[in-house]
Amino acid sequence: MAKYIAQRLIVMFFILLGVLTITFVLSRALPGSPVEMMLGNHPTAEQIAVEREKLGLDKPLPIQYFNYIGDLLQGDFGNSLRTGRPVMEEVVRRVGATFELTLLAMFWVVVLGVPIGVISAARQNSVVDNVARAGSIAGTAFPVFILAMGLQLLFYGKLNWLPLQGRIDASILLDSPFERVTGFYLIDTLLAGNFVALWSAIKHLTLPVLTLVIVTLATVTRITRNMMVEVLSEEYIRTAISYGVPKWRIHYAYALKATMIPLLTVVGLTFGYLLGGAVVVEFVFDWPGLGGFVVFSIAQNDFPAVMGATLVLATTYLSINLIVDLLYHLVDPRLRVQ
Amino acid sequence: MSIQDVSLSMPSRAPSWRIKALAFACDNKLFVFGALLLLLIILAAIFAPWLAPYEPNKIVFSQKLMAPNWAHWMGTDEFGRDILSRVLYGARTSLIIGVSVTLIAMLIGIPIGLVSGYFGGRIDTLLMRVSDVFLAFPPLLLPIAITAALGSGLANAMLALAVSWFPWYARIMRGAVVRVRSETYIHAARSMGVSHFRILLRHVLPNATTPVIVQGSMDFGYTILAAASLSFIGLGAKPPMVEWGLMAAASRSQLLENPWTVLFPGVAIFVLVLAVNLVGDGLRDVLDPKKGTR
């Protein structure tokens, strides 16, 4: 197991290096010089030269590359062109909002998607199965932003049940502020015992989470169903049925276990979709996370900020997939023997 | 005579793909529905100049933000432009995006997968690890970063989507090639002294394309959605181009007061992607050998 973890970590290190290389190439491929963009207002050649030297842009590309990697390893993502402050600060401030959103969506996708998939497979062509299949076909065809705006229109515009956007009522932050310990408002408000703030956070989370759940649920349901259908036709399942093992036990204990590995893979991939989808969702719901920050920074031509946030999101995705990989070993004893 | 009879009457030959497709179509109404819907959208896109009641970019301020009515079936936007006409023209953009992105991604991915799968060894490891790096980004994030670097615009957005998507084709192609590589006819060709290049082109490629085509038809809808999302956040199509994602973004401030300005372009994307996905699913069922004919 230790050897396997070490192997995976090495692979991840190289992939991360590749990711850094891509972001390096992209940040040097900017149209127009980033320095000119930074200085603004038609800088003189001398000003540009000084700034280039300061940023190390006058050095050969390989040296620039090593400096870039070195800086990143020290947590230096460069300075935001807009604010002049370190990108890292902005990223750290927003990372909690994105994680709270995507992890909660992930939770609901798994909690809803897996049982629906199992029931669908167990009762093929039943009402549940047909609704689930129709839903998964429709769900994958929805543009995230239209779904998000449709939900805003319904739950804010027509019913006025839920807030339009944001993460918490601005008045709460003024009247009854709470300490930000974890960056997850659900946890922070609970820790502070501030239930008014908690309720506001829940209401603000509902629509963005719902949007992400709807667009990703389809994939998880569908894949769970397909895998379950395959496993349920295996001989050991037939044997179990003939032994009189109760159906629920066959479905949830025997069959679901066999589908765990591909399912874990799907969950890992789904997390990627959630992180990608969060960019659009955060933009629509004005959610103060990394995704919205990416869109905002692009509009401001703040390239270091875009790359910083991209790197953090990509690293998160990689780490999740590493965890998924390691979980394989816990779930599947066959892999441990190999 | 039913379809089954046709295949039975020709026992010496396997039923042709046409017959399989026909049998499949009779069984799978969703596929037929999707195909008809897609055909309708393609026709609407081709004949948009004749079908559209108004010029898609014609600004008539006196008619701005009209709710759907007999003169404007889908209403008008904040510049008084007819939404139906814009939705019809927008079909062109989305279809072109879907086809181009998928084709470019295949053009990059297929050769990589071919070489990787056929030669194996170090080349294989290198190419696949490079592909893995591209897959390490959450979907949509890499195209966003690439477009941000290249500069916003539809052409760059399409290129960015294709560059982010090619590893999937490379991987699938590689898998198919690895299976084909060990077939007897490849060994036979090799022992006859046929060059690697010729074997790849004439023998491996034709026998390994099915999974890629299946994947391509499944991804077609995704690329349309992703391109619309890029346009929506301001990285894709730019005015005066008529594009659905851009229409939704431009009318975003009208969502609560005049929802039709946002919803009609949104429904158009949904219907197109739905049609494309249904067709893709159907094609997979027909072409995927693992799935049999049904």
Side-chain angles (χ1 to χ4, degrees):
Chain A
M1 184 72 184
K3 193 180 158 202
Y4 181 76
I5 294 177
Q7 270 175 354
R8 291 303 309 168
L9 282 174
I10 292 170
V11 170
M12 179 169 160
F13 171 77
F14 280 106
I15 291 186
L16 197 60
L17 207 61
V19 168
L20 297 181
T21 310
I22 290 182
T23 52
F24 173 77
V25 170
L26 287 179
S27 39
R28 295 300 183 272
L30 268 178
S33 148
V35 176
E36 278 172 53
M37 221 181 269
M38 234 167 110
L39 295 170
N41 290 337
H42 308 289
T44 63
E46 200 181 335
Q47 278 175 310
I48 293 178
V50 170
E51 194 62 32
R52 277 175 67 88
E53 203 185 322
K54 214 167 89 188
L55 290 172
L57 291 174
D58 56 337
K59 299 199 172 64
L61 275 179
I63 307 277
Q64 283 188 39
Y65 177 70
F66 284 113
N67 289 341
Y68 175 80
I69 305 260
D71 287 347
L72 286 179
L73 288 179
Q74 292 168 36
D76 180 3
F77 285 35
N79 290 339
S80 159
L81 297 186
R82 187 173 52 88
T83 59
R85 297 224 314 273
V87 170
M88 196 63 186
E89 270 179 30
E90 294 266 10
V91 168
V92 168
R93 204 149 52 83
R94 289 159 187 272
V95 85
T98 296
F99 284 176
E100 185 166 44
L101 181 65
T102 43
L103 288 176
L104 208 60
M106 188 80 245
F107 171 79
W108 284 111
V109 166
V110 173
V111 164
L112 294 173
V114 173
I116 295 177
V118 172
I119 296 171
S120 254
R123 301 196 196 138
Q124 285 175 51
N125 297 319
S126 69
V127 180
V128 178
D129 186 26
N130 286 329
V131 170
R133 281 162 75 186
S136 66
I137 291 171
T140 43
F142 260 120
V144 182
F145 55 93
I146 287 296
L147 185 66
M149 291 197 287
L151 291 174
Q152 281 182 327
L153 181 64
L154 179 65
F155 288 101
Y156 172 78
K158 300 287 172 205
L159 300 169
N160 204 11
W161 287 356
L162 294 165
L164 180 67
Q165 54 191 24
R167 202 178 169 197
I168 199 155
D169 282 328
S171 59
I172 286 178
L173 294 180
L174 292 173
D175 298 340
S176 49
F178 53 92
E179 200 188 343
R180 270 163 243 189
V181 186
T182 59
F184 288 48
Y185 279 11
L186 291 186
I187 298 175
D188 289 348
T189 50
L190 261 182
L191 286 178
N194 189 339
F195 293 103
V196 183
L198 175 66
W199 182 234
S200 175
I202 291 175
K203 282 205 294 190
H204 280 84
L205 265 167
T206 308
L207 288 186
V209 168
L210 189 61
T211 310
L212 284 175
V213 169
I214 293 176
V215 292
T216 37
L217 186 64
T219 321
V220 173
T221 309
R222 191 159 147 171
I223 293 176
T224 313
R225 178 186 182 276
N226 291 349
M227 289 181 316
M228 279 294 285
V229 167
E230 223 163 271
V231 173
L232 285 177
S233 62
E234 298 266 347
E235 280 179 7
Y236 72 93
I237 298 288
R238 227 180 304 158
T239 312
I241 294 172
S242 64
Y243 270 100
V245 178
K247 264 217 164 120
W248 64 267
R249 212 182 140 79
I250 291 179
H251 293 150
Y252 287 95
Y254 293 13
L256 192 60
K257 207 170 170 183
T259 63
M260 266 310 175
I261 291 228
L263 202 62
L264 275 173
T265 313
V266 173
V267 168
L269 287 174
T270 305
F271 196 78
Y273 277 94
L274 289 173
L275 287 174
V279 176
V280 179
V281 169
E282 288 183 6
F283 176 60
V284 175
F285 288 103
D286 203 10
W287 190 260
L290 281 180
F293 180 60
V294 168
V295 180
F296 178 72
S297 303
I298 288 171
Q300 305 282 326
N301 274 328
D302 191 350
F303 205 70
V306 176
M307 280 303 128
T310 303
L311 265 180
V312 172
L313 289 172
T315 314
T316 309
Y317 183 40
L318 268 176
S319 317
I320 293 277
N321 278 316
L322 177 72
I323 295 171
V324 163
D325 247 18
L326 298 180
L327 280 179
Y328 287 170
H329 279 248
L330 287 179
V331 174
D332 195 337
R334 286 172 298 186
L335 290 175
R336 262 175 271 161
V337 177
Q338 286 166 12
Chain B
M1 191 158 71
S2 78
I3 290 132
Q4 275 81 4
D5 292 337
V6 174
S7 52
L8 281 176
S9 65
M10 300 185 295
S12 57
R13 284 173 59 189
S16 78
W17 68 269
R18 279 168 222 260
I19 294 171
K20 280 188 196 166
L22 195 67
F24 172 81
C26 293
D27 283 346
N28 199 327
K29 290 171 190 73
L30 277 179
F31 171 72
V32 178
F33 173 71
L36 288 177
L37 205 59
L38 185 59
L39 189 69
L40 212 66
I41 298 170
I42 293 173
L43 289 177
I46 294 173
F47 295 107
W50 292 275
L51 289 171
Y54 303 90
E55 202 30 54
N57 279 321
K58 192 177 173 197
I59 295 173
V60 187
F61 277 116
S62 59
Q63 296 188 352
K64 69 172 185 180
L65 296 172
M66 287 169 75
N69 58 51
W70 282 111
H72 300 278
W73 290 3
M74 294 187 181
T76 59
D77 66 8
E78 56 275 38
F79 294 105
R81 294 174 297 196
D82 179 54
I83 293 177
L84 173 63
S85 307
R86 292 175 68 71
V87 164
L88 283 171
Y89 272 91
R92 294 180 154 199
T93 321
S94 283
L95 283 170
I96 292 172
I97 293 172
V99 173
S100 327
V101 172
T102 312
L103 282 182
I104 301 171
M106 281 183 177
L107 277 178
I108 308 172
I110 289 177
I112 293 178
L114 260 181
V115 171
S116 194
Y118 183 74
F119 292 107
R122 277 195 196 152
I123 298 180
D124 180 27
T125 314
L126 179 73
L127 288 175
M128 284 302 112
R129 288 298 86 79
V130 170
S131 301
D132 283 349
V133 172
F134 283 83
L135 295 178
F137 289 88
L140 208 62
L141 201 64
L142 185 58
I144 287 175
I146 295 177
T147 321
L150 295 176
S152 60
L154 190 58
N156 285 344
M158 280 161 57
L159 188 67
L161 281 171
V163 168
S164 328
W165 210 247
F166 86 87
W168 292 109
Y169 296 109
R171 274 191 167 189
I172 290 166
M173 192 68 199
R174 178 186 172 276
V177 171
V178 167
R179 274 196 296 279
V180 172
R181 185 178 59 179
S182 51
E183 295 281 346
T184 324
Y185 59 84
I186 303 292
H187 291 304
R190 195 70 203 119
S191 62
M192 282 165 71
V194 182
S195 72
H196 285 305
F197 183 72
R198 201 177 156 82
I199 291 181
L200 273 176
L201 221 57
R202 295 292 295 271
H203 302 289
V204 178
L205 186 63
N207 288 302
T209 42
T210 309
V212 179
I213 292 173
V214 171
Q215 184 66 35
S217 64
M218 309 276 292
D219 291 343
F220 192 73
Y222 175 80
T223 57
I224 292 172
L225 281 180
S229 295
L230 286 182
S231 296
F232 180 75
I233 59 175
L235 282 175
K238 293 262 176 278
M241 188 176 274
V242 184
E243 203 270 344
W244 293 333
L246 184 65
M247 284 171 76
S251 300
R252 207 180 140 208
S253 58
Q254 300 296 331
L255 174 70
L256 298 175
E257 307 285 315
N258 309 296
W260 63 85
T261 52
V262 175
L263 293 185
F264 281 118
V267 170
I269 302 174
F270 174 71
V271 172
L272 173 60
V273 176
L274 182 70
V276 164
N277 284 354
L278 289 176
V279 172
D281 269 8
L283 275 181
R284 180 193 53 189
D285 289 354
V286 176
L287 294 174
D288 193 346
K290 274 194 294 190
K291 288 235 162 190
T293 50
R294 305 221 167 136

